[in-house]
Amino acid sequence: MGGPRRRMATTIAIIFLSLGLFFLLVAAIGMVRLPDVFARAHAVGLTDTMGAFFMLFGLAIYEGFSLNMLKILVVFSLLYLLNPVVTHATIRAALRAGVKPWMKGPS
Amino acid sequence: MTGRILLKTALFFLIWMALSGKFNFLHLTIGLGLSLGIAWLNTWPLTGDKMRVSWVGVLTYVPWLFSRILASSIHMVRLILDPKLPIDPQLFGHQTSLPHHAAVVLLGNSITLTPGTITVEVSPNELTVHSIDPASSNDLLSGTLEKKVATVFPSQPRMKA
Amino acid sequence: MREFFIFVLIQLVILIVVYLYRVVQGPTVYDRVLGLNGLSTKAIILLVVIGTIYDRVGMFVDISTGYALLNLVGSIAIAKYLEHGGAA
């Protein structure tokens, strides 16, 4: 192993992982800053889509073409299919239980 | 009917072999039994209406959705990192005329997957959507998203409410 | 590369602590559920990174698949329960 191809895969993996960490960091900031459940759910959605995409894709590229890459992609597609369902269920429960969404006041 | 079960069994068995990576007798027997069982379970009618999926539509829809997710993620990052936090949340209803339950589910999932908009309530004809600022819901209000979803399900309108 | 992965792990743990703040502090119970959901996504990524460090991704990815499915079932059960304000 080794060689320029391996080095390039490592570089791409580092770039993707850094981008993913950036999105995860922004989502965590949003989780603290945003005013209510409904707005925070948007921040969690950001984590689930972009953060997971960049991190898992970077790791898959680092693994190279193998069974492990396939497995990482399976986890990735599972996250993309299941996370919207969970977010929707939580938010619907909040609305049905009578939580009032935060609105911008008349300014 | 039997043909469909066999086709699904073959597909599941291929996935099993790819994911297990072991080719001895025990693993292959367990995999074959499980794929046959799952293929049989999948023939039970769950929704009651048939659907046709256009695979060309799926292959163009997924990259398009991904580009939208990327664009709205960047918009969302800009909103969160802004010191003034210029969000303007809204809750609005959106009428759909999509032909199929599965199409409405796909539309709702796509809305939730895009950062900035979340589906709150679903009924066959109306979705309640929470959006974090007016720019996020542009795609939905202009009808682009719905048109793209309609290309995935080319079947005739046959909605049973 | 190993150092970089360990740096990523430390970052992820710090982010998980931020989410734990939301889980403990959250004004409503829905904030807590939402925080747990975001936390579990990060735990899945954490498991895959740990697997990459130890060079045993195959096993750790299987664990994280199970974790993702369990999180789905658990969150939907909790959301269903909380739909009536926890009264039913």
Side-chain angles (χ1 to χ4, degrees):
Chain A
M1 288 308 276
R5 199 150 155 221
R6 184 84 202 124
R7 209 176 305 140
M8 204 171 119
T10 311
T11 314
I12 294 176
I14 287 181
I15 292 172
F16 269 48
L17 284 172
S18 310
L19 269 174
L21 274 181
F22 169 72
F23 275 107
L24 290 182
L25 183 69
V26 172
I29 292 174
M31 202 69 188
V32 174
R33 279 191 81 190
L34 290 173
D36 78 330
V37 195
F38 297 92
R40 278 178 207 134
H42 295 292
V44 175
L46 191 71
T47 326
D48 293 344
T49 56
M50 291 327 283
F53 166 72
F54 278 121
M55 302 282 294
L56 291 179
F57 222 70
L59 290 171
I61 289 174
Y62 182 74
E63 283 299 314
F65 288 101
S66 62
L67 181 64
N68 291 337
M69 186 186 200
L70 191 72
K71 279 189 178 178
I72 291 179
L73 291 184
V74 166
V75 174
F76 167 68
S77 49
L78 207 64
L79 276 182
Y80 260 54
L81 284 177
L82 300 187
N83 266 324
V85 181
V86 174
T87 312
H88 163 71
T90 311
I91 290 304
R92 191 176 74 162
L95 190 79
R96 285 199 179 169
V99 177
K100 290 271 178 293
W102 182 89
M103 296 285 177
K104 200 178 187 177
S107 54
Chain B
M1 201 62 176
T2 337
R4 287 193 76 97
I5 291 185
L6 286 181
L7 196 71
K8 276 179 186 165
T9 308
L11 186 68
F12 294 150
F13 192 49
L14 271 180
I15 295 174
W16 170 278
M17 282 197 291
L19 286 182
S20 83
K22 291 198 172 66
F23 294 100
N24 51 30
F25 178 73
L26 181 67
H27 279 89
L28 288 185
T29 321
I30 293 175
L32 195 60
L34 283 180
S35 0
L36 199 62
I38 293 170
W40 178 67
L41 280 180
N42 265 316
T43 56
W44 286 358
L46 288 177
T47 53
D49 40 14
K50 288 188 171 53
M51 60 178 179
R52 278 208 320 273
V53 178
S54 138
W55 290 106
V56 180
V58 172
L59 287 182
T60 55
Y61 178 73
V62 171
W64 179 82
L65 180 67
F66 203 81
S67 71
R68 295 311 306 158
I69 288 177
L70 191 62
S72 57
S73 291
I74 291 167
H75 179 70
M76 190 76 197
V77 166
R78 207 172 289 153
L79 279 185
I80 290 179
L81 291 184
D82 195 310
K84 290 201 298 286
L85 204 65
I87 61 172
D88 183 14
Q90 282 161 337
L91 201 64
F92 57 92
H94 178 72
Q95 302 281 333
T96 68
S97 53
L98 284 170
H100 205 280
H101 288 176
V104 179
V105 169
L106 179 64
L107 179 67
N109 254 2
S110 307
I111 291 170
T112 311
L113 206 48
T114 316
T117 46
I118 287 181
T119 318
V120 184
E121 283 277 356
V122 186
S123 73
N125 296 317
E126 190 176 11
L127 301 164
T128 310
V129 178
H130 184 270
S131 77
I132 197 155
D133 80 330
S136 300
S137 50
N138 264 346
D139 253 353
L140 182 63
L141 291 183
S142 65
T144 327
L145 191 57
E146 213 173 317
K147 246 177 263 165
K148 289 277 178 182
V149 171
T151 61
V152 178
F153 293 94
S155 54
Q156 311 309 312
R158 236 168 55 99
M159 173 76 92
K160 279 188 288 185
Chain C
M1 199 59 194
R2 194 186 159 83
E3 291 78 18
F4 181 72
F5 278 135
I6 289 177
F7 166 74
V8 171
L9 273 187
I10 294 171
Q11 288 277 323
L12 280 174
V13 170
I14 292 172
L15 291 178
I16 284 182
V17 171
V18 175
Y19 276 78
L20 273 181
Y21 162 78
R22 183 49 70 201
V23 173
V24 173
Q25 187 71 31
T28 66
V29 68
Y30 309 100
D31 285 298
R32 297 170 209 263
V33 177
L34 207 63
L36 277 179
N37 178 29
L39 202 150
S40 79
T41 309
K42 249 159 292 316
I44 289 164
I45 300 172
L46 194 83
L47 277 172
V48 181
V49 175
I50 292 176
T52 313
I53 289 179
Y54 287 115
D55 220 0
R56 302 211 33 196
V57 185
M59 192 181 82
F60 278 87
V61 165
D62 288 347
I63 298 172
S64 60
T65 312
Y67 190 63
L69 289 171
L70 264 182
N71 171 49
L72 169 84
V73 176
S75 293
I76 287 189
I78 293 174
K80 268 290 177 200
Y81 173 69
L82 291 177
E83 212 160 80
H84 313 284

